[in-house]
Amino acid sequence: MSEHEFRDFYYHASTMFHNDHVDDMFRVSSSVSVDHHPSSYMSFTDCLHSSVDEYGSLEKAFGLSPSSSEVFSSPIEGLNQTTNQQSSEVMAITPNSSISSSSTEAAYCEEDSEKNNKDNQPKGSDDGSKESPKKGMKGAKKKDERKQKEPRFAFVTKSEVDHLEDGYRWRKYGQKAVKNSPYPRSYYRCTTQKCTVKKRVERSFQDPSTVITTYEGQHNHPLPTTLRGNAAALFPPSMFAPATARPSFPHELFMQMAAPHQMNNQQANGVAAASMFGENFSPYHHQYHHHHRQVSDYGLLQDMVPSRFLKHEP
DNA sequence: CGTATTTGACCTGCGC
DNA sequence: GCGCAGGTCAAATACG
């Protein structure tokens, strides 16, 4: 996957949640018990589903949880080495294949569930769970709003800069030191009014050349047109097509981006992403050339990579 | 001067 | 109950 291809995917991943199907997928997933682990059949979707079920595990698996930041594992390092060798080839991580060489690893999507919030967010990372009796929430978040399910999508990107440009405008509202990591975690909020999308950005402790970006929520507005000289104009018109015209699931897009050659016809039919990616679609290609490369997406990893590769106890 | 960032304080959840 | 850690607020500061 080339840099500009990653830019494409990056944008779509963050905007994909407009799609109701995706929302449904998360809803179903988050309602499943944490212990549920679909093993009878392993489709890409299943992997995502099970990943949603175990957000906490995923966070740990990717070092998002400071208590287990060490788990940024050897296969990932191997991937990084691959990318360091300027290899732009992509190898999809499927349930039947372990990672051997790739610049892309996995993706996870999750959403906060009211009933599962405790399990999914052992560290209380849910923004909505806060209710300050002293200070009124600036965002005027009400209780019902806090219960809103917030889909998440996170991935690891090989990048020299922490905050990756994705076409949206973000305002930094916090920064915290991460335990067992020399790198801080930054908190960003979409600056568009009434848009509650947030994202966290932190540099991987295990591999400082990569940054971990976690999106939370879905944009309720189109791409800002004023960003960086009308960034939206750089995107093809199909970007703003109705949700039904877009890929139904982020993983479908991801799959195509990751390994189009491995897609069968059925998969290809289900993915409209192909029409969305013009060959020259790289809004920030010039800016991020040789700086950004996606090396990992959360979610698939848990099911697709043997646990022994994901965790190594100190 | 308006907007974005910085940063210490504060809140919440969790484990002990 | 206490301490810790993650997440957020908001005043101060920086920046254009």
Side-chain angles (χ1 to χ4, degrees):
Chain A
M1 181 184 289
S2 66
E3 285 88 350
H4 75 272
E5 282 173 330
F6 161 60
R7 297 305 317 152
D8 299 347
F9 173 75
Y10 187 97
Y11 166 79
H12 281 286
S14 63
T15 58
M16 204 69 62
F17 302 105
H18 290 291
N19 194 308
D20 293 335
H21 293 127
V22 176
D23 199 33
D24 290 339
M25 177 180 73
F26 293 142
R27 188 168 298 114
V28 169
S29 300
S30 59
S31 66
V32 184
S33 78
V34 173
D35 292 330
H36 172 66
H37 193 93
S39 55
S40 55
Y41 57 96
M42 294 289 288
S43 69
F44 202 96
T45 303
D46 294 330
C47 294
L48 273 162
H49 282 193
S50 60
S51 299
V52 173
D53 296 343
E54 306 175 50
Y55 170 69
S57 303
L58 283 162
E59 273 205 331
K60 291 178 182 177
F62 280 92
L64 290 180
S65 173
S67 60
S68 57
S69 57
E70 297 85 359
V71 291
F72 234 76
S73 51
S74 50
I76 295 177
E77 291 167 5
L79 294 177
N80 293 338
Q81 289 170 6
T82 299
T83 58
N84 286 338
Q85 295 166 1
Q86 301 302 312
S87 167
S88 61
E89 70 183 59
V90 174
M91 180 170 144
I93 302 170
T94 69
N96 298 325
S97 65
S98 62
I99 301 173
S100 61
S101 170
S102 173
S103 61
T104 303
E105 288 167 2
Y108 86 71
C109 305
E110 77 94 31
E111 92 177 44
D112 295 341
S113 171
E114 179 184 354
K115 53 185 173 184
N116 292 336
N117 192 32
K118 238 183 165 181
D119 292 333
N120 291 340
Q121 308 284 3
K123 291 297 181 181
S125 60
D126 180 14
D127 64 294
S129 66
K130 313 285 185 287
E131 186 171 41
S132 171
K134 275 174 75 177
K135 312 171 184 179
M137 297 296 285
K138 212 173 188 178
K141 291 186 178 181
K142 296 184 173 73
K143 215 165 188 179
D144 45 313
E145 288 176 351
R146 290 188 288 115
K147 293 177 181 177
Q148 234 176 345
K149 299 174 182 179
E150 297 290 339
R152 287 191 179 184
F153 187 88
F155 47 86
V156 176
T157 305
K158 198 173 191 66
S159 172
E160 295 176 4
V161 295
D162 290 343
H163 191 194
L164 306 177
E165 191 59 72
D166 57 5
Y168 288 96
R169 290 177 60 89
W170 302 92
R171 187 175 72 85
K172 190 175 183 177
Y173 67 89
Q175 178 173 303
K176 288 288 290 187
V178 179
K179 189 187 175 188
N180 296 331
S181 172
Y183 306 104
R185 175 183 301 154
S186 297
Y187 300 88
Y188 296 89
R189 185 174 291 143
C190 183
T191 60
T192 303
Q193 243 181 354
K194 295 181 179 179
C195 182
T196 60
V197 175
K198 283 177 280 193
K199 72 175 179 180
R200 295 178 292 182
V201 176
E202 66 179 284
R203 188 160 292 276
S204 168
F205 173 44
Q206 289 297 315
D207 185 357
S209 66
T210 63
V211 293
I212 302 167
T213 304
T214 304
Y215 283 91
E216 181 175 331
Q218 46 185 308
H219 293 282
N220 56 8
H221 57 90
L223 206 67
T225 58
T226 56
L227 180 66
R228 309 270 173 122
N230 198 354
L234 298 171
F235 291 83
S238 59
M239 287 293 200
F240 306 102
T244 52
R246 294 196 293 261
S248 298
F249 301 99
H251 65 268
E252 289 179 342
L253 172 60
F254 174 77
M255 172 169 279
Q256 176 176 10
M257 297 305 293
H261 58 282
Q262 295 188 5
M263 292 175 63
N264 58 33
N265 290 336
Q266 188 177 7
Q267 288 169 328
N269 288 337
V271 174
S275 62
M276 300 166 62
F277 300 125
E279 285 295 324
N280 299 320
F281 173 40
S282 54
Y284 300 104
H285 182 239
H286 61 286
Q287 185 180 349
Y288 290 93
H289 189 58
H290 293 318
H291 290 283
H292 291 172
R293 177 172 293 126
Q294 179 184 0
V295 299
S296 174
D297 290 316
Y298 295 161
L300 307 178
L301 208 58
Q302 182 129 34
D303 287 322
M304 298 180 175
V305 180
S307 59
R308 66 179 183 275
F309 290 138
L310 294 176
K311 300 179 181 177
H312 55 86
E313 302 302 328

